[in-house]
Amino acid sequence: MNGTVSQRFELVEIRLPVLMTFAGLVAGLLAGMLLAGGSAIDSVLTVTAPVGTLWLRALQMTIIPLVASLLVLGIVQLAGAAQAGAAARRMLLLVFGVLIASGLVTVIAMPLLLQVFPIPEAASAFLANVPEGEQQVPGVGDFITSLVAPNIIAAATETAMLPLTIFFALFAIAITRLPESQADTLLRLFHALANAMLMLIGWVLWLAPIGVFALALGVAARAGGGAFTALAHYILVVSAMGGFVLIGAYLLAWFAGKVTPLRFARAMIPAQAVAISTQSSLASLPAMLDSAGRLGLRQRTAEFVLPLAVAIFRATSPAMNMAVALYVAHLAGVDLTPTQLAAGIAVALIISIGSVSLPGSISFVVSIGPIAIAMGVPIEPLALLVAVEMLPDIMRTLANVTMNVAVTSAVDRVGEEHV
């Protein structure tokens, strides 16, 4: 096939009980608060703790096979896009620049923000399911040699996410160099694996109201009403990192697209309104095309760049996913080294390609789990935090949609200069 894959694979659509999960969280917190300090709490926790742990383990077991399949399909799609012409290559350069900057901003800003607004003490109750034991921090030499796993099966057993991510990224690139018949066979395999794993994680997440209720009850029994404060703090801090991406979109449109911030803001109002109401970049695509028209961008540029951006680009992924991992690391008292932060950014960048267009809850697990594992950060708190993802997801969609149009304006401007 020599470099391109023409066949487009569609993943199964999974509809998740997001509101029910949120209701399970609130109900669990309220029940825990009512039972806290009473004689019945120990008996209740004897039943609910194993239920929560079982659901958490079911969530964890889906991460590696789902990430592997989505990563292969996403990178193959990206490789195909890179051969679509000069405009596609300019767009991809911008996309990678934005994604890298997105992760770096969070690495710098998140610790500063947590110093100014410390995590409430009640949030320590989120760590109840985290196994005790000190994390082994590799040196620079060990980190470099760990990038390549001599045994990929052993790496999966040890959940060594960075070498696994690198392996499957290289595997996907190798697929694009195969003859078309062989590439299609492998892609059909990974497509089927991805759909099967999406159905499996969909079943697990359908049980999220029960699992989250059980976990939240234990958290509230230890933290009391402070659990609500802790979750509110988490939502605001993580959403703030998405806010930086949103601001970056206006700056990109201004400096690269030559569109003044006021004009850009006015043109973006319809698309942003749809983004907030639907929390879906795909559903916002018609409104994004309308905003591009209001900005006077060339129709052929907008009709090419915006659908491609919806398919392969999620600007907030490195910023907000790294923010969640850094929040949990700070909460758990994990001091991250530069090599661990570099590993997190690398995984965040690659994983963002494979998690585009997934429902928020699935994307949360698929994207942040590997980042946390690669950085040596506990992933157990993610099982509870997924219940409130619907709120930060508003900022994710708002910033993603705005950045998509900003990138379109920059590509259109550069295209004009090359005409």
Side-chain angles (χ1 to χ4, degrees), residues 263-346:
R263 182 179 170 220
F264 186 75
R266 287 175 175 170
M268 284 304 305
I269 290 174
Q272 289 175 339
V274 175
I276 292 171
S277 60
T278 65
Q279 296 182 41
S280 168
S281 296
L282 181 60
S284 304
L285 180 56
M288 283 190 276
L289 290 167
D290 177 69
S291 293
R294 292 168 183 262
L295 291 170
L297 305 182
R298 287 177 295 178
Q299 185 176 355
R300 66 176 183 273
T301 302
E303 290 181 351
F304 171 76
V305 174
L306 285 173
L308 185 58
V310 169
I312 66 172
F313 182 37
R314 184 176 284 179
T316 58
S317 284
M320 296 184 71
N321 294 343
M322 283 289 293
V324 176
L326 291 174
Y327 193 96
V328 176
H330 195 88
L331 179 63
V334 177
D335 294 323
L336 298 172
T337 65
T339 54
Q340 287 173 296
L341 292 171
I345 292 176

Side-chain angles (χ1 to χ4, degrees), residues 65-85:
L66 182 56
V67 166
S69 53
L70 291 176
L71 194 57
V72 168
L73 294 174
I75 290 179
V76 168
Q77 185 178 14
L78 189 68
Q83 300 188 23

Side-chain angles (χ1 to χ4, degrees), residues 10-35:
E10 298 294 339
L11 298 176
V12 296
E13 183 179 2
I14 305 293
R15 297 185 180 275
L16 302 172
V18 177
L19 292 178
M20 289 295 293
T21 302
F22 185 73
L25 171 69
V26 174
L29 293 176
L30 292 175
M33 290 169 56
L34 292 173
L35 294 172

Side-chain angles (χ1 to χ4, degrees), residues 98-400:
V98 169
L99 291 175
I100 293 171
S102 173
L104 290 174
V105 165
T106 293
V107 167
I108 296 170
M110 189 70 174
L112 297 176
L113 192 60
L114 290 177
Q115 286 182 4
V116 177
F117 302 101
I119 298 176
E121 292 184 7
S124 61
F126 297 160
L127 299 174
N129 294 303
V130 177
E132 296 182 359
E134 189 174 349
Q135 291 281 350
Q136 294 291 330
V137 179
V140 175
D142 292 335
F143 171 75
I144 293 174
T145 57
S146 72
L147 296 178
V148 177
N151 186 331
I152 202 67
I153 305 299
T157 303
E158 298 167 2
T159 60
M161 285 309 306
L162 187 54
L164 283 173
T165 302
I166 292 173
F167 171 80
F168 283 108
L170 293 174
F171 188 82
I173 295 172
I175 287 177
T176 66
R177 308 301 299 173
L178 291 175
E180 186 172 357
S181 60
Q182 295 179 15
D184 283 347
T185 299
L186 282 173
L187 287 176
R188 289 179 184 279
L189 171 65
F190 280 100
H191 175 238
L193 176 61
N195 276 335
M197 293 309 304
L198 282 173
M199 294 186 71
L200 178 57
I201 196 173
W203 295 340
V204 173
L205 289 173
W206 264 106
L207 298 174
I210 299 172
V212 168
F213 174 86
L215 293 171
L217 191 148
V219 167
R222 289 179 293 271
F228 284 101
T229 303
L231 286 171
H233 178 272
Y234 160 80
I235 292 167
L236 292 174
V237 170
V238 170
S239 297
M241 296 303 104
F244 284 118
V245 177
L246 180 63
I247 294 170
Y250 286 85
L251 295 176
L252 179 65
W254 189 9
F255 291 106
K258 306 301 179 184
V259 180
T260 63
L262 181 59
R263 182 179 170 220
F264 186 75
R266 287 175 175 170
M268 284 304 305
I269 290 174
Q272 289 175 339
V274 175
I276 292 171
S277 60
T278 65
Q279 296 182 41
S280 168
S281 296
L282 181 60
S284 304
L285 180 56
M288 283 190 276
L289 290 167
D290 177 69
S291 293
R294 292 168 183 262
L295 291 170
L297 305 182
R298 287 177 295 178
Q299 185 176 355
R300 66 176 183 273
T301 302
E303 290 181 351
F304 171 76
V305 174
L306 285 173
L308 185 58
V310 169
I312 66 172
F313 182 37
R314 184 176 284 179
T316 58
S317 284
M320 296 184 71
N321 294 343
M322 283 289 293
V324 176
L326 291 174
Y327 193 96
V328 176
H330 195 88
L331 179 63
V334 177
D335 294 323
L336 298 172
T337 65
T339 54
Q340 287 173 296
L341 292 171
I345 292 176
V347 173
L349 177 64
I350 300 173
I351 292 296
S352 67
I353 298 169
S355 62
V356 173
S357 299
L358 293 178
S361 298
I362 294 179
S363 178
F364 183 89
V365 175
V366 172
S367 301
I368 301 171
I371 296 170
I373 293 170
M375 296 169 63
V377 174
I379 66 171
E380 286 76 9
L382 301 183
L384 195 59
L385 298 178
V386 71
V388 296
E389 173 58 18
M390 58 182 291
L391 299 175
D393 196 46
I394 296 173
M395 175 57 77
R396 288 179 185 267
T397 310
L398 176 64
N400 288 337

